Amino acid sequence: MRDPGCILITGASSGIGEALALDYAAPGRRLLLTGRDRTRLEAVAEACRTRGADVAAAVIDVTDRQGLADWLLAQDGERPVDLAIANAGISAGTGSGGESDDQARAIFAVNLDGVLNTVQPLIPRFVARRRGQIALMSSLAGFRGFPGAPAYCASKAAVRLYGESLRGALAAAGVEVSVVCPGFVVSRMTAVNRFPMPFLMETGRAARLIRRGLERNRARIAFPWPTWAAVWFLSLLPPGLTDALLARAPRKG
């Protein structure tokens, strides 16, 4: 889908979501933006409007299954959604002394349930129209579990496998599905990291790479390639060879 007319982006109030909203904002295009911070979300929405886009912004938590579904279906009824980008996500790790039960469950609720809550209401309509595109935000951390962020890695791995499976399941119905696997990207999420982040990428560049991959219907949009190559290689090795190495890796707070 090279020129989607109506685009949904969750987690649009900062980071990659904000950069994607600004990159897609243009005259004639409708953007459906969600986020949890009203002030930041309205600032992004207004910036998109100045670029000519028609914007509907809503402060909705992606864990609110019914509330999000009601809003999405109402918006789709006004103008059919062409592209749904399930971008909202959170992270935390074991750097502060461990990963609590509440922390782990919150990460799964947003990163995994939030993705399902975003795309499941729209899939039947995409299939009925035999048209539509879905982008799921995974991570390069979803290829190998890192002891510094167990729940984050696991949630992103689940999103990756779900998206790869969904792509095959919906292909015959004319619905395109891509999984996005970024490395370190400048955002509020990475701003709290107190360790080196190799090949840290600006959000604008990340948004352009994602958009280009979606226009080409890429199954997997992974970047930057050096980090992608490293985690792919790690995922091939037996845990007995990598556990000791990863045990010394930095841990996210």
Side-chain angles (χ1 to χ4, degrees):
M1 188 171 295
R2 293 186 175 274
D3 189 27
C6 183
I7 303 169
L8 163 69
I9 305 173
T10 64
S13 58
S14 64
I16 292 177
E18 176 183 3
L20 283 167
L22 294 172
D23 195 69
Y24 275 113
R29 180 166 284 144
R30 180 167 175 79
L31 299 179
L32 309 178
L33 309 179
T34 74
R36 294 185 297 175
D37 187 292
R38 184 178 302 277
T39 301
R40 292 203 312 266
L41 183 63
E42 277 303 324
V44 174
E46 189 56 35
C48 292
R49 292 185 185 107
T50 63
R51 298 187 180 199
D54 174 26
V55 182
V59 179
I60 304 177
D61 193 314
V62 291
T63 63
D64 181 359
R65 179 179 176 183
Q66 191 60 54
L68 183 58
D70 290 344
W71 186 76
L72 288 175
L73 295 179
Q75 294 296 327
D76 186 74
E78 291 184 18
R79 181 172 175 179
V81 176
D82 295 312
L83 167 60
I85 303 177
N87 167 74
I90 60 174
S91 71
T94 60
S96 56
E99 188 175 78
S100 71
D101 178 62
D102 287 345
Q103 182 187 89
R105 291 179 185 278
I107 290 171
F108 273 96
V110 174
N111 294 0
L112 182 54
D113 289 347
V115 165
L116 297 175
N117 294 343
T118 300
V119 302
Q120 285 294 333
L122 293 172
I123 287 175
R125 297 199 174 188
F126 283 179
V127 170
R129 294 195 287 262
R130 301 194 63 80
R131 185 176 186 276
Q133 186 172 28
I134 296 169
L136 306 183
M137 191 63 65
S138 179
S139 168
L140 291 182
F143 284 89
R144 208 300 181 183
F146 293 89
Y152 180 78
C153 292
S155 67
K156 292 301 186 179
V159 169
R160 178 175 65 86
L161 291 174
Y162 172 66
E164 291 171 354
S165 302
L166 196 63
R167 179 180 174 89
L170 297 180
V175 181
E176 301 171 350
V177 181
S178 297
V179 178
V180 183
C181 301
F184 292 115
V185 176
V186 176
S187 67
R188 291 168 57 86
M189 192 180 295
T190 57
V192 300
N193 292 344
R194 297 294 179 259
F195 51 81
M197 293 177 280
F199 307 102
L200 180 66
M201 184 179 292
E202 293 294 330
T203 53
R205 184 182 176 202
R208 291 190 294 273
L209 289 172
I210 293 169
R211 181 173 178 174
R212 188 182 312 151
L214 293 176
E215 288 173 349
R216 298 173 182 177
N217 188 27
R218 291 277 176 82
R220 180 183 295 159
I221 305 168
F223 57 87
W225 74 263
T227 313
W228 158 226
V231 297
W232 176 80
F233 181 67
L234 277 174
S235 71
L236 297 179
L237 297 175
L241 294 178
T242 57
D243 281 350
L245 173 65
L246 294 177
R248 297 192 295 270
R251 294 176 182 247
K252 187 174 181 69

